[in-house]
Amino acid sequence: MPLRNGSAISSVLVDFRKESLLTQSCQQWHSRDLPDDSLPVSILDFHALNTISTPAARKTLTVALIGNPNVGKSTLFNALAGMQARVGNYPGVTVEKKIGRVKWSSSDVRLVDLPGTYSLSPRSLDELVTVEVLLGQVADIGLPDVVVCIADATNLERNLYLVSQVLDLKLPCVLVLNMWDQAHKRGIQIDIAELERRIGVPIVPTAAHHREGTNKLEEAVQRALSKPVPAPPRPFAEPFYRECELLSQQLKEWGQADVPFFLVERLLLDVGGTIENLFASRTHNQLNGYLHAARERLKEQNCRIPAAEAKVRYAWARETLRGLVETPVQKAVSFSDRLDAILTHRIVGLMIFAALMFFVFLSIYKWAEPLMGIIETGQELLGDTIAASIAPGAFRSLLVDGLVAGVGSVIVFVPQIAFLFFFIAVLEDCGYMSRAAFLMDKIMTMFGLGGKSFVPLMSSFACAVPGIMATRVIENRRDRVVTILVAPLMSCSARLPVYVMLTSAFVPAASYLGGLITLKSLVMFFMLSIGLIVAMGVVWVLKKTFFKGETPPFVMELPPYKWPSPRIVLFRVYDRVKAFVVRAGTLIFATTILVWAAGYFPGDRTEYERIQAQIEEHEAQPSSDGEPNAMLPTLYEAQNRIAGELIEQSLLGRMGHIIEPAVKPLGWDWKIGVGVIASFPAREVIIATLGTIYSLGSDVGEEDTNLQSALKAARWPDGSPVYTIPVALSVMVFFALCAQCAATLMIIRRETNSWRWPIFTFVYMTVLAYVAAWVTYQAGTALMS
């Protein structure tokens, strides 16, 4: 359900906290995704809390930023840190870690942008990481000196729920009332001085979107450090705190000493939560029975767990704000409501969303092409320049076909990534993305995913690399990982040359409905659709096996509409492009070099290089009549013939012969096998590889009639044709479903922070592609016999 600003949220959040919906996903995460010696166990290492240096002993001030989603936390972080932010992942998990280093007048400051969260009840990976950082359990961050809690000034009561939990940590704290400009526009008046007195922490009003008030944050942080830490709110009744003290004593008897009081509270409040599961494993499962009895005692004293937490914390928030916030009587139907009536309409809204997504897809697929063409042209010019200045040989091939091609294979994705994240940033910053997720949620839920999975999957039809990077908009970890795992199944543009080549050469030119529909177009449509069809089945299997658990309730706040900030949009584009080039790009580059080496060595290239030198000499000296030198066609033919022999002698060629028995049931010979292996850096490379193998050169295209003729003329030793319609369909189906893209696998490694998932993706997609190709070939052959 979407929640608009000003909605009655308290009752919704009470249900949202109920164990029946969220406990299972938490237990699933604990039992399957992370072993006992991984990240969460560090939350039990309480002795480390006593060894972390105190703020006074450190030269760098650590300031952690925390807040609900859609309150402008990351916008404030970017306004403070600018280009000095460093993006990575927390150890062993997929949660993004953003750290910025800035210089304030009194000290160096390290800003930590924590994941957006509604609560410090760690039922998700994001919330668990946030708790670990705030407890000082992340080694390279340590205990924060100050926690800056960002709240939405237009919805202060709801935001104080998280603030009350942060205050329980007994750390110096600053409260930032962001979206102050929006509050003024709505006529909302807040008595900041009195609110600061009641809560006991410095308060700073800001409009981070326009960088207003951010300069006052430094002074507020210094004030928070110089004054005593305020006492926690203690919103619960005294029986609850007595049970906490009894539980703390019991934990000591079980050998769990020095447990922070905050975690003792969470043990009682989070039924079946991550912390309870972790402690249970350390107390030989004695804890579960004790907690059940403690909660029963609290229930008898009118303190029902877990519903009590939302009740008492919102009561504390209302009491804290009593008489301090003046809100004018709003119109029955606001402009935002009228706009939402159109944009979230089940028919009109979907039509508008479809038009927007077509526009975004067009930008990725078509508008990026000229820029990608410029990059490819620059790559060719650089390669030609190097080739003209260095004699033929291994070193020149390494530079031109290895280094330059490797860099080009990274940079060529930048236009698509930039366009995609430009539109995502615009749609997020103006407030539409939440509406889009709401619209698509019902449809995507039928397939086991949430509404936010639609944009990444649609983007993957252009290229899986930006599509997988776009999954960062998905907060639910299970949905995000599943979306990443099926995104490569979408038929990206790199598969198109393979479809065009084989469809043009082998699919008959039959037509139907008076020529309106052709058999070739039907085959192309099927190849472009098969990945999406199969992906829905894969999602169902993944959700029934590795990612069990109910789909979490769709609870999303619809933020107010606003004009997107050009500074914020451009910064997000820069941030995503930089992350791709620096982190994933290095892995893609390394893979390209390895494939080049496998195709170059071993082999005696003396004759090839001699002919290459002659070709360059003749090209530099055309005949007297201005026509190309008559010797060139003969030299080209000889060079192409030798190149075909060399690739068969290379490691790639030998691997092709080795796998020939495995691919023969698909109707393939060793040459197709070599093409498949060589296309690992990029699927379309198979065209150039087949051109080289069939002695036509590597500069052939998918519509080259000479290549098509060579494929038709290819024969098995018994004289039967290698390529038939079933073989062509088999190759296309394999490429539609396989993971033949190093860039995609490297970006999965980058986004999941683990080799486990790219290996899993490669294995399951390769097996799936092999089986589908085998069925296609065998069934096609049987039908045509």
Side-chain angles (χ1 to χ4, degrees):
M1 70 183 71
L3 301 178
R4 288 188 178 82
N5 291 336
S7 300
I9 299 175
S10 302
S11 60
V12 175
L13 286 180
V14 169
D15 292 334
F16 184 71
R17 292 288 164 201
K18 285 185 178 179
E19 58 183 328
S20 60
L21 289 173
L22 295 180
T23 299
Q24 188 174 3
S25 64
C26 162
Q27 292 171 333
Q28 176 69 18
W29 171 80
H30 171 66
S31 62
R32 277 187 167 82
D33 291 340
L34 290 175
D36 285 341
D37 59 351
S38 59
L39 171 70
V41 177
S42 65
I43 205 168
L44 303 181
D45 185 15
F46 309 115
H47 298 291
L49 289 171
N50 300 324
T51 62
I52 295 174
S53 57
T54 61
R58 290 181 293 186
K59 295 181 181 179
T60 301
L61 199 65
T62 299
V63 178
L65 275 61
I66 188 172
N68 293 171
N70 297 316
V71 297
K73 173 181 59 65
S74 293
T75 302
L76 178 62
F77 174 84
N78 292 333
L80 295 171
M83 299 295 185
Q84 304 303 313
R86 178 168 55 87
V87 181
N89 288 78
Y90 287 96
V93 294
T94 61
V95 181
E96 186 175 69
K97 175 172 65 176
K98 293 183 71 174
I99 296 178
R101 297 186 180 275
V102 296
K103 179 77 174 178
W104 285 352
S105 58
S106 57
S107 60
D108 293 328
V109 178
R110 178 172 54 177
L111 300 171
V112 182
D113 184 13
L114 295 174
T117 179
Y118 289 106
S119 166
L120 291 185
S121 169
R123 292 183 177 274
S124 72
L125 201 60
D126 287 9
E127 291 172 347
L128 181 65
V129 165
T130 297
V131 171
E132 288 217 320
V133 170
L134 295 178
L135 289 176
Q137 294 298 295
V138 177
D140 61 343
I141 295 178
L143 185 67
D145 299 298
V146 180
V147 179
V148 174
C149 199
I150 297 96
D152 179 358
T154 65
N155 269 293
L156 196 50
E157 180 181 319
R158 173 176 57 78
N159 283 238
L160 286 185
Y161 182 100
L162 179 61
V163 173
S164 69
Q165 292 182 324
V166 172
L167 292 175
D168 284 346
L169 293 165
K170 300 180 182 179
L171 291 173
C173 184
V174 172
L175 176 59
V176 171
L177 302 184
N178 197 32
M179 302 185 185
W180 193 248
D181 55 334
Q182 294 291 325
H184 271 291
K185 285 181 182 179
R186 300 183 187 186
I188 298 174
Q189 301 293 324
I190 302 174
D191 187 344
I192 293 180
E194 178 60 20
L195 180 61
E196 185 172 308
R197 188 192 68 78
R198 292 185 185 182
I199 297 180
V201 302
I203 298 178
V204 180
T206 65
H209 197 68
H210 303 292
R211 299 197 174 190
E212 296 175 3
T214 56
N215 58 329
K216 299 178 181 178
L217 188 58
E218 176 184 356
E219 185 268 335
V221 167
Q222 295 300 332
R223 277 200 294 142
L225 286 170
S226 62
K227 62 186 297 186
V229 177
R234 291 180 70 87
F236 293 92
E238 282 306 313
F240 174 81
Y241 294 107
R242 285 197 297 270
E243 286 292 346
C244 287
E245 291 172 2
L246 291 173
L247 175 57
S248 182
Q249 291 296 324
Q250 186 62 60
L251 287 170
K252 288 180 181 179
E253 294 180 13
W254 287 331
Q256 300 296 316
D258 303 320
V259 179
F261 191 75
F262 173 81
L263 290 184
V264 175
E265 288 184 326
R266 302 296 355 143
L267 279 171
L268 276 175
L269 292 170
D270 302 334
V271 180
T274 304
I275 296 176
E276 179 178 340
N277 290 330
L278 291 171
F279 273 93
S281 65
R282 295 297 181 89
T283 59
H284 306 290
N285 294 319
Q286 298 178 80
L287 178 66
N288 301 95
Y290 181 91
L291 289 177
H292 178 74
R295 289 164 185 155
E296 286 298 316
R297 289 194 295 270
L298 289 172
K299 181 179 178 181
E300 293 172 0
Q301 299 181 67
N302 200 29
C303 182
R304 294 176 179 270
I305 303 298
E309 181 169 24
K311 180 179 178 181
V312 300
R313 290 195 186 278
Y314 279 114
W316 171 84
R318 286 190 294 272
E319 184 61 29
T320 300
L321 295 175
R322 188 183 303 277
L324 303 185
V325 180
E326 295 181 11
T327 304
V329 178
Q330 297 184 354
K331 298 178 181 178
V333 180
S334 66
F335 170 76
S336 179
D337 292 330
R338 290 195 295 271
L339 198 55
D340 277 338
I342 299 172
L343 294 181
T344 62
H345 190 273
R346 60 192 180 97
I347 297 175
V348 178
L350 282 174
M351 293 172 62
I352 294 172
F353 176 72
L356 278 173
M357 291 303 100
F358 175 78
F359 186 74
V360 172
F361 182 83
L362 187 67
S363 74
I364 301 170
Y365 191 70
K366 284 293 184 184
W367 297 358
E369 278 188 0
L371 295 175
M372 296 172 74
I374 292 173
I375 293 171
E376 290 170 348
T377 301
Q379 176 185 337
E380 292 174 4
L381 289 174
L382 180 58
D384 292 342
T385 302
I386 294 173
S389 57
I390 300 176
F395 181 62
R396 187 171 88 171
S397 181
L398 171 63
L399 293 179
V400 176
D401 302 322
L403 296 178
V404 174
V407 172
S409 66
V410 174
I411 303 300
V412 75
F413 288 109
V414 167
Q416 289 183 323
I417 291 171
F419 271 114
L420 174 61
F421 281 98
F422 171 79
F423 285 110
I424 286 179
V426 169
L427 295 175
E428 280 186 332
D429 207 36
C430 73
Y432 179 76
M433 188 62 83
S434 297
R435 276 84 180 172
F438 165 68
L439 275 171
M440 293 305 302
D441 187 70
K442 280 190 177 181
I443 298 174
M444 298 302 293
T445 299
M446 292 190 296
F447 303 104
L449 294 174
K452 287 194 174 183
S453 295
F454 180 80
V455 172
L457 291 179
M458 184 214 66
S459 303
S460 297
F461 274 99
C463 178
V465 171
I468 290 170
M469 293 181 69
T471 59
R472 293 192 170 222
V473 303
I474 305 171
E475 290 90 357
N476 180 271
R477 181 180 178 273
R478 287 183 300 135
D479 282 1
R480 184 182 176 219
V481 176
V482 171
T483 304
I484 287 173
L485 296 180
V486 299
L489 286 169
M490 305 302 109
S491 261
C492 66
S493 56
R495 293 175 167 101
L496 198 57
V498 182
Y499 302 158
V500 170
M501 177 186 70
L502 295 174
T503 301
S504 301
F506 298 102
V507 176
S511 61
Y512 311 96
L513 299 179
L516 184 63
I517 300 175
T518 66
L519 182 58
K520 292 180 185 288
S521 64
L522 287 175
V523 170
M524 287 289 291
F525 176 76
F526 176 75
M527 291 303 162
L528 291 170
S529 306
I530 186 175
L532 178 62
I533 296 169
V534 171
M536 296 303 101
V538 173
V539 168
W540 185 86
V541 172
L542 291 174
K543 284 300 187 79
K544 295 294 183 181
T545 54
F546 297 102
F547 299 91
K548 282 184 179 179
E550 295 182 46
T551 301
F554 185 79
V555 180
M556 175 175 287
E557 177 190 356
L558 298 183
Y561 291 105
K562 63 178 183 290
W563 287 106
S565 165
R567 183 190 299 109
I568 292 172
V569 169
L570 293 177
F571 180 84
R572 288 179 182 173
V573 172
Y574 164 81
D575 187 51
R576 293 297 98 204
V577 170
K578 178 183 175 184
F580 166 73
V581 172
V582 173
R583 296 178 66 85
T586 54
L587 297 173
I588 298 170
F589 174 75
T591 304
T592 305
I593 296 293
L594 290 175
V595 173
W596 163 83
Y600 191 88
F601 299 105
D604 184 0
R605 293 183 171 265
T606 305
E607 183 64 15
Y608 179 88
E609 292 166 3
R610 185 185 66 79
I611 295 175
Q612 178 65 35
Q614 290 180 358
I615 289 174
E616 293 175 3
E617 182 180 346
H618 284 291
E619 286 178 339
Q621 298 176 357
S623 59
S624 57
D625 58 1
E627 295 297 322
N629 194 296
M631 289 292 294
L632 285 175
T634 304
L635 292 172
Y636 287 146
E637 183 179 352
Q639 186 187 46
N640 290 338
R641 176 181 53 78
I642 296 172
E645 295 171 356
L646 287 171
I647 197 168
E648 184 174 0
Q649 298 168 14
S650 70
L651 289 174
L652 278 180
R654 297 177 185 184
M655 291 170 66
H657 282 289
I658 291 172
I659 69 170
E660 186 174 31
V663 300
K664 200 167 184 179
L666 311 182
W668 303 0
D669 64 356
W670 72 269
K671 296 177 181 179
I672 302 176
V674 170
V676 170
I677 297 172
S679 64
F680 185 65
R683 292 180 178 92
E684 63 271 26
V685 172
I686 189 176
I687 308 295
T689 304
L690 291 175
T692 301
I693 292 174
Y694 286 104
S695 303
L696 299 173
S698 60
D699 56 349
V700 295
E702 62 269 20
E703 298 181 359
D704 192 297
T705 55
N706 292 327
L707 177 59
Q708 294 179 12
S709 298
L711 298 181
K712 292 177 181 178
R715 291 290 185 271
W716 288 102
D718 63 1
S720 61
V722 172
Y723 288 90
T724 60
I725 294 177
V727 171
L729 293 174
S730 170
V731 174
M732 285 191 282
V733 168
F734 185 87
F735 269 84
L737 302 177
C738 71
Q740 292 298 107
C741 182
T744 298
L745 296 175
M746 295 306 108
I747 206 67
I748 292 175
R749 162 67 180 85
R750 159 76 177 92
E751 292 299 305
T752 61
N753 201 34
S754 169
W755 283 107
R756 171 187 179 185
W757 296 119
I759 292 173
F760 175 81
T761 303
F762 178 78
V763 171
Y764 101 77
M765 289 184 65
T766 301
V767 172
L768 185 64
Y770 184 92
V771 172
W774 179 82
V775 171
T776 301
Y777 173 71
Q778 298 295 337
T781 302
L783 289 172
M784 295 185 66
S785 60

